[in-house]
Amino acid sequence: MPGQKLLSWACLLFGCGWIALALAQENPARMKLAGGKLELVAPANWVRKQPQSRIIEYEFAIPASTGDPADGRLTVMAASGGIDANIKRWYGQFTQPDGAGTEKRAKVKKTQTAGQDVHLVDISGTFQDQRGPAAPAVERPKYRMLGAIIATQSAGDYFVKFYGPEKTVADNEKAFLEMIDNLEPK
């Protein structure tokens, strides 16, 4: 592993805490959840960003597919409020061009991975993109969101939300689902 010798010297000179810091910088795709008891690993081509809000623990930009106007965005955060209430909130972030109800078109599936219940949500339509409580919402037509609510056994619920232009989300759907399916206990 490149840098392993340097990390060993850093451990000897400055203490082993430096190794954890160096490894985190070396692999920015790793996300620790539930007090470090669970881990998600984002695909290598997703770019880790500084979260735009203090309640978001991790944020990534997913490179836009050819022809799409913007990158996708992935956010990961712990939250309360219940699974059903949060799914309904996600429905409320979308409108349908024909005025139909979003909840009737959305797909929701419950599964399990790493011993945790996971609720998968797939929603398409016009997304009301609001990036803060005081920020005005921006309408983004032809957007799609893939969400996963990980209901941990002892550390609450984690919300993994990936949204962006429909093609970008479709092109990264398999990678998103694999990331969720490969949730690892630590």
Side-chain angles (χ1 to χ4, degrees):
M1 174 178 175
Q4 188 171 10
K5 193 177 269 188
L6 178 61
L7 290 175
S8 296
W9 279 105
C11 185
L12 289 172
L13 294 173
F14 303 108
C16 292
W18 280 89
I19 288 182
L21 176 63
L23 288 174
Q25 291 172 342
E26 202 171 286
N27 190 347
R30 293 196 179 279
M31 297 173 272
K32 302 274 187 201
L33 309 178
K37 295 177 185 165
L38 298 169
E39 183 176 88
L40 285 174
V41 179
N45 67 323
W46 293 8
V47 180
R48 190 161 185 177
K49 300 282 191 183
Q50 178 69 33
Q52 294 181 18
S53 167
R54 286 184 289 157
I55 64 170
I56 296 171
E57 293 180 38
Y58 299 97
E59 183 169 331
F60 288 83
I62 291 81
S65 294
T66 303
D68 272 351
D71 288 344
R73 180 180 186 217
L74 178 98
T75 60
V76 179
M77 61 190 268
S80 59
I83 293 165
D84 291 335
N86 278 284
I87 291 173
K88 286 180 183 174
R89 185 176 52 78
W90 286 349
Y91 293 159
Q93 293 173 341
F94 282 83
T95 58
Q96 300 305 310
D98 64 2
T102 296
E103 64 280 352
K104 296 201 184 291
R105 296 213 175 132
K107 298 173 191 159
V108 179
K109 174 183 165 184
K110 184 177 176 184
T111 186
Q112 199 171 68
T113 185
Q116 313 301 312
D117 287 337
V118 178
H119 301 262
L120 298 171
V121 182
D122 187 345
I123 306 171
S124 295
T126 299
F127 180 59
Q128 307 300 316
D129 191 0
Q130 187 170 12
R131 304 221 177 165
V138 176
E139 286 193 356
R140 303 205 186 274
K142 297 183 180 177
Y143 258 49
R144 183 176 174 200
M145 183 194 84
L146 298 175
I149 301 173
I150 303 166
T152 71
Q153 301 288 328
S154 60
D157 299 331
Y158 280 83
F159 298 84
V160 184
K161 181 177 172 182
F162 167 34
Y163 65 89
E166 288 176 346
K167 186 173 188 307
T168 297
V169 174
D171 289 348
N172 288 278
E173 178 177 6
K174 181 179 178 188
F176 175 83
L177 294 173
E178 285 177 356
M179 177 183 73
I180 298 301
D181 194 44
N182 289 322
L183 177 70
E184 296 178 41
K186 292 294 173 186

